[in-house]
Amino acid sequence: MVRAASVALYAGFATLGAALLAHPALLWVEGLGLSRPVRPWHVPLGWAAAVLVAVLATFAFGMAVHRALGGNPRRRHYLAFLLLVALALVLRAVSGDIRPPLDPAPRLLDGLRAAAGALDAEYAATRRYAPTPGLVQGALSALPAPGFVHRGRELRLSGRILHGMRGPQVEALPGDLPGTIYVCISSDEQRAWLSALSLHRVLPAMVQATAGTHSAPGFDPLLPLYPNAR
């Protein structure tokens, strides 16, 4: 009877510790984007929650197996287990609020503007749109990341140039990751269309560049603004 009560008591402690940290730990693990790109939640000390949940679960499982085999864990094992539960309480109290992912659209729009500005500068010098990947990527590299993570790595803005196009790219191309800026160049190299790939689709706001000027994202492309206009 005493053994059963002891097991139930420590199982309750294990459940309490796991319940305190399971949600932030799960959000943090999902935010690594191990299987697909994601927009991660802001989880303060999420890595610590994930580690502590794993240690607590392993310790509790080991004690349960030891008990089931007729063993009797020593006092230091119980003290260590209670310390883990106390750490879970402290960690949950000091970790702060969990916040939802930031909207990536503003930074994607900044990427469209930066790439369009680079195209306008090149047109002013060459009278045509014939950008190199380095030109576009150089304009994008100075901008902050849009907020996507894949396999534990933060995705930066990247450019993909498509030649001989008749309009903007409105669907994701195979293999492209969120944060890709599509730069579509017409056959005569006098027009360009820019679009941005978000998590599941291309943003509806696009940019058209004509004869060295570009429209603002989402505005009428027949009314282009001067280069670098925002």
Side-chain angles (χ1 to χ4, degrees):
M1 179 67 70
V2 174
R3 174 173 294 186
S6 175
V7 171
L9 177 63
Y10 283 93
F13 282 133
T15 302
L16 172 63
L20 288 171
L21 299 179
H23 183 57
L26 179 60
L27 286 178
W28 181 80
V29 172
E30 290 178 345
L32 296 176
L34 299 179
S35 61
R36 56 184 175 81
V38 296
R39 292 168 51 203
W41 284 63
H42 177 72
V43 186
L45 298 177
W47 64 270
V51 170
L52 191 52
V53 164
V55 172
L56 186 61
T58 301
F59 201 93
F61 179 76
M63 290 183 66
V65 171
H66 191 64
R67 276 285 193 181
L69 295 177
N72 187 23
R74 298 182 179 181
R75 180 176 298 179
R76 66 173 180 269
H77 295 146
Y78 291 114
L79 291 177
F81 183 75
L82 292 176
L83 177 60
L84 289 174
V85 175
L87 285 175
L89 288 167
V90 172
L91 181 61
R92 190 67 186 94
V94 303
S95 59
D97 295 331
I98 298 173
R99 299 196 301 272
L102 296 175
D103 183 5
R107 292 185 175 181
L108 292 175
L109 295 179
D110 285 342
L112 291 177
R113 297 184 186 102
L119 291 183
D120 289 344
E122 185 207 29
Y123 190 93
T126 64
R127 311 308 298 176
R128 65 192 183 104
Y129 292 117
T132 63
L135 176 72
V136 175
Q137 194 58 48
L140 298 176
S141 296
L143 300 178
F148 305 111
V149 172
H150 188 216
R151 297 175 182 172
R153 179 175 63 91
E154 186 177 49
L155 299 179
R156 307 290 301 184
L157 291 170
S158 62
R160 180 167 182 176
I161 301 174
L162 305 172
H163 294 278
M165 302 293 288
R166 297 182 178 179
Q169 182 66 32
V170 296
E171 295 182 356
L173 294 176
D176 287 341
L177 295 172
T180 299
I181 302 296
Y182 291 120
V183 180
C184 300
I185 308 297
S186 64
S187 299
D188 60 6
E189 297 183 340
Q190 294 301 303
R191 289 174 296 168
W193 301 269
L194 297 92
S195 56
L197 178 59
S198 189
L199 189 58
H200 300 297
R201 60 185 177 85
V202 172
L203 288 183
M206 302 175 189
V207 171
Q208 179 172 319
T210 305
T213 60
H214 65 271
S215 66
F219 283 74
D220 186 351
L222 297 178
L223 299 173
L225 301 178
Y226 287 103
N228 303 319
R230 296 181 65 85

